[in-house]
Amino acid sequence: MAGSDTTVEPVAPPDTVKILIAGGFGVGKTTLVGSVSEIAPLRTEEPLTAAGVGIDDLNGIEEKRATTVALDFGRITISQELVLYLFGTPGQQRFWFMWNDLAIGALGAVVLIDVRRPESSFAAIDFFERRKIPFVVAVNGFHGEHPYPAEEIKDALALPEHVRVLLCDARERESCRDVLIALIDQLIADARQAG
């Protein structure tokens, strides 16, 4: 047909960024990935059994019935140019060996903490600091409560000045999205400063 242009301009695929969601046992990692993911998340949860008695510390999370044994996976599209792949880590110490493999290729992380049991997330903070993987700390407000301000939590955890502490609710998509956007903003700022 004269004058008809059937040429289709190729569309570049979006950049993909791997983000880890880490923290202690029962802090809400699976919930966070599930609430923010635009796809049905992949979960590797198994029921807690008698084999974990004396190994798994259920103090403060007595209602917990299942645990992640490998990873959680979700995806969120930030824009046409940027897609985040979320990998939730297992929280129990006996599964921490998987963190090294999950961290390969990760540009950043969210360390989720429960202020009722902050010590459960110390290992995650140490993990990312030792590997120089940028991270933000997200304080999961169980039952919608945040009894401490972010700055007080930052001081209690003795975090470096550049690490942001954000209050969130792992059940709420917008709250989790805001945490991820804060991490992406930090990664962009770090890249500009390094460049």
Side-chain angles (χ1 to χ4, degrees), residues 111-178:
V111 175
L112 195 61
I113 71 166
D114 175 357
V115 293
R116 302 171 302 176
R117 301 174 302 111
E119 69 284 350
S120 70
S121 294
F122 291 163
I125 292 168
D126 290 343
F127 180 87
F128 296 114
E129 284 180 337
R130 279 187 271 122
R131 285 160 183 79
K132 298 186 180 354
I133 296 174
F135 66 95
V136 297
V137 171
V139 182
N140 189 10
F142 283 84
H143 311 294
E145 298 173 6
H146 287 286
Y148 307 102
E151 281 305 312
E152 192 173 323
I153 294 167
K154 183 173 186 156
D155 291 342
L157 295 173
L159 294 169
E161 184 59 36
H162 68 276
V163 176
R164 291 191 59 191
V165 175
L166 305 131
L167 304 178
C168 76
D169 186 332
R171 302 168 300 174
E172 295 181 6
R173 179 178 175 82
E174 294 79 18
S175 179
C176 299
R177 180 206 59 210
D178 292 346

Side-chain angles (χ1 to χ4, degrees), residues 69-80:
V69 296
L71 62 96
D72 298 309
F73 175 78
R75 183 185 73 206
I76 181 169
T77 301
I78 300 296
S79 68
Q80 287 184 321

Side-chain angles (χ1 to χ4, degrees), residues 79-99:
S79 68
Q80 287 184 321
E81 293 83 28
L82 182 63
V83 175
L84 304 183
Y85 290 131
L86 309 175
F87 289 80
T89 65
Q92 292 164 284
Q93 188 170 357
R94 65 180 178 265
F95 299 123
W96 286 355
F97 68 91
M98 299 186 67
W99 289 26

